[in-house]
Amino acid sequence: MQSERTPGLHIGIIMDGNGRWATARGLPRALGHKAGVEAIRRVVEAAPKQGVGTLTLYAFSCDNWKRPETEVSALMGLLRLYLRNEIARLIENGVRLSVIGRRDRLPEGLAADIARVEAATVTGRALHLRVAIDYSARDAILAAALAGAGRKDIGREAFSALVTGDACVPDVDLVIRTSGEQRLSDFLLWESAYAELHFTERHWPDFDAADLAEARAAFQRRDRRFGGLGATSAAA
Ligand code: IPE
Ligand code: IPE
Ligand code: MG
């Protein structure tokens, strides 16, 4: 479904470190994922107040199916609970939720839950929350290339719409990855061509509004040049 572009920054977050957070506390990894859902709630509430219009959260990658079955089912169960429990709050706060990624491999009923929340929140304008589930950026680019094959006139903008599946989603301004790792792990590879990157040691379950504000402040200090000379150099 097409919609208007939500004004504001597009921030992508690779929510990493749930397992390490739990292990450091002697807890099972699943409890780290549960605490990670609380962090999602905090950040979704904080984002619109910090000038974020689009927030894309990496929740489950295509490669995460390699994990033990027990962990995968715990994660899928939490995603389902989040969708079911959150719907009223999302509507109340004007949050539009969309899910990106494959839906054909999800456990029974989850795709229907996703469709229900997407339909119920479609008019939300305060924040466009995109949750990446069974998502691979390389697969999204490959699918777009196949869909655009034979269209010789296709430009970057039209191709971007094929990659994101939504012409109203802007390029990513800032990618945040928690828990110390400094890699993209197949997240928004096309959309992040000129994104600023912010890495923090904080494990995802501990991430809060202040961490988001710190990342925003660091972003604000960057000189984005997009291949040109940018504000600082051009003035010299
Ligand atoms: C992020 O935390 C959640 C997912 C990738 C699903 P991890 O589960 O990757 O946590 P670590 O990296 O093992 O600490
Ligand atoms: C990336 O985290 C995927 C998500 C956050 C959903 P991983 O923990 O799976 O990534 P790698 O294996 O450390 O690169
Ligand atoms: Mg990890």
Side-chain angles (χ1 to χ4, degrees):
M1 144 118 35
Q2 289 300 326
S3 67
E4 296 159 37
R5 184 173 286 207
T6 315
L9 290 180
H10 181 178
I11 295 186
I13 306 184
I14 302 171
M15 307 184 291
D16 201 13
N18 293 353
R20 278 165 277 179
W21 181 93
T23 304
R25 284 162 180 73
L27 300 170
R29 291 177 58 88
L31 288 186
H33 297 311
K34 188 161 179 265
V37 175
E38 290 309 315
I40 294 179
R41 285 203 183 94
R42 287 196 295 271
V43 169
V44 168
E45 195 193 321
K49 298 172 192 154
Q50 297 190 24
V52 181
T54 308
L55 181 67
T56 305
L57 301 178
Y58 206 4
F60 191 89
S61 75
C62 289
D63 288 320
N64 288 148
W65 293 111
K66 294 175 192 162
R67 296 187 181 198
E69 210 272 319
T70 44
E71 178 162 349
V72 170
S73 8
L75 278 162
M76 292 297 159
L78 285 166
L79 288 168
R80 167 167 287 182
L81 272 181
Y82 176 79
L83 294 171
R84 293 201 173 162
N85 295 339
E86 223 46 28
I87 190 158
R89 204 190 316 233
L90 294 172
I91 294 169
E92 192 182 312
N93 294 331
V95 179
R96 172 187 170 205
L97 184 141
S98 342
V99 170
I100 57 171
R102 286 180 65 163
R103 297 194 188 184
D104 58 310
R105 303 192 288 194
L106 301 179
E108 179 95 41
L110 186 53
D113 286 335
I114 291 170
R116 199 172 305 122
V117 183
E118 286 181 329
T121 62
V122 74
T123 56
R125 288 291 173 271
L127 176 72
H128 185 186
L129 171 64
R130 301 164 76 231
V131 183
I133 302 175
D134 198 4
Y135 172 83
S136 152
R138 289 194 291 194
D139 284 354
I141 295 167
L142 181 59
L146 293 172
R151 287 173 54 186
K152 292 217 167 39
D153 58 332
I154 199 161
R156 283 185 182 178
E157 207 171 315
F159 190 74
S160 284
L162 290 177
V163 172
T164 60
D166 184 339
C168 291
V169 174
D171 277 351
V172 180
D173 296 297
L174 171 65
V175 172
I176 300 171
R177 182 166 186 150
T178 57
S179 214
E181 249 58 72
Q182 304 195 357
R183 53 178 173 261
L184 292 173
S185 305
D186 207 5
F187 182 59
L188 303 179
L189 299 180
W190 170 273
E191 300 90 325
S192 296
Y194 277 98
E196 299 294 330
L197 308 177
H198 180 83
F199 301 107
T200 166
E201 293 296 320
R202 188 86 74 219
H203 294 313
W204 176 251
D206 288 330
F207 197 87
D208 62 14
D211 295 306
L212 183 65
E214 186 189 304
R216 285 277 290 104
F219 170 81
Q220 227 59 58
R221 292 193 294 272
R222 305 277 177 91
D223 184 12
R224 299 187 82 191
R225 304 197 187 98
F226 298 98
L229 293 183
T232 320
S233 321

